[in-house]
Amino acid sequence: MNGGRDTRFLSGGRDKAVYLWTVEKTRSGYSATSERLNIVHRQPVAAITYNTREETVLTCSGPYISTLNLSQPIQSKAMRVSGRILQAHV
């Protein structure tokens, strides 16, 4: 995820939250800011991936997959799968 001069990445974990980070180059070095995304989980976030073509974040928590389109940040209903998800790749 790169918006020109800025670098963007996602993080999530035991706090059940997902954050979008932006790192900017400044005159004195770098500056970082984060935004908590509107994704709700009941268990720690185990995996996060990003689909660049659709600008969609996919997150996994226990047996659930959640999606969020960054251009229209409204979380879809979490999808339940048959087992725990530990990794996700796009």
Side-chain angles (χ1 to χ4, degrees):
M1 300 176 71
N2 192 333
R5 296 180 351 175
D6 303 340
T7 298
R8 296 177 0 158
F9 65 93
L10 298 155
S11 70
R14 290 183 118 0
D15 64 355
K16 305 172 194 157
V18 178
Y19 292 89
L20 174 62
W21 292 83
T22 302
V23 179
E24 301 176 81
K25 186 163 177 52
T26 64
R27 285 184 170 203
S28 60
Y30 292 92
S31 170
T33 57
S34 67
E35 170 190 357
R36 186 174 180 161
L37 298 181
N38 186 26
I39 300 176
V40 179
H41 288 290
R42 292 184 219 156
Q43 297 178 28
V45 177
I48 302 173
T49 191
Y50 179 71
N51 182 326
T52 55
R53 189 173 335 128
E54 297 178 11
E55 295 185 49
T56 302
V57 176
L58 295 105
T59 60
C60 306
S61 175
Y64 293 94
I65 300 172
S66 295
T67 60
L68 179 73
N69 185 305
L70 291 181
S71 61
Q72 301 171 347
I74 300 169
Q75 180 184 357
S76 69
K77 184 174 180 180
M79 298 168 277
R80 186 176 175 87
V81 296
S82 61
R84 270 179 71 210
I85 300 167
L86 301 176
Q87 295 183 24
H89 305 275
V90 173

